[in-house]
Amino acid sequence: MAEIVNLRMARKAKARAADKTQAAENRALHGQTKAERKATEADVARLTRAVEGAKRDRTED
């Protein structure tokens, strides 16, 4: 015999699971504090300056 399933409870469980995955995605996208974002931007800028400063000039004759 098949197991009886309460459709209302199943629907709510499915909605909770969807909300949980959406929250995880939002944490990944927007989870940094302002200080962490500024620190990351500063690191990227510092590395970009270091790479640009280390490049050789290409003079074509």
Side-chain angles (χ1 to χ4, degrees):
M1 186 175 271
E3 183 179 338
I4 297 173
V5 176
N6 187 332
L7 296 178
R8 178 179 49 88
M9 291 177 67
R11 185 176 61 244
K12 286 185 177 185
K14 182 179 177 182
R16 275 194 293 278
D19 289 343
K20 192 174 184 179
T21 58
Q22 182 66 39
E25 290 175 10
N26 287 342
R27 280 193 302 273
L29 289 174
H30 307 291
Q32 289 185 336
T33 63
K34 189 173 184 179
E36 290 172 337
R37 271 196 312 272
K38 288 210 175 242
T40 302
E41 290 172 4
D43 287 342
V44 169
R46 181 182 51 80
L47 290 173
T48 303
R49 281 194 310 273
V51 168
E52 291 296 323
K55 286 185 178 178
R56 293 189 206 178
D57 292 331
R58 282 189 90 135
T59 56
E60 301 206 14
D61 295 322

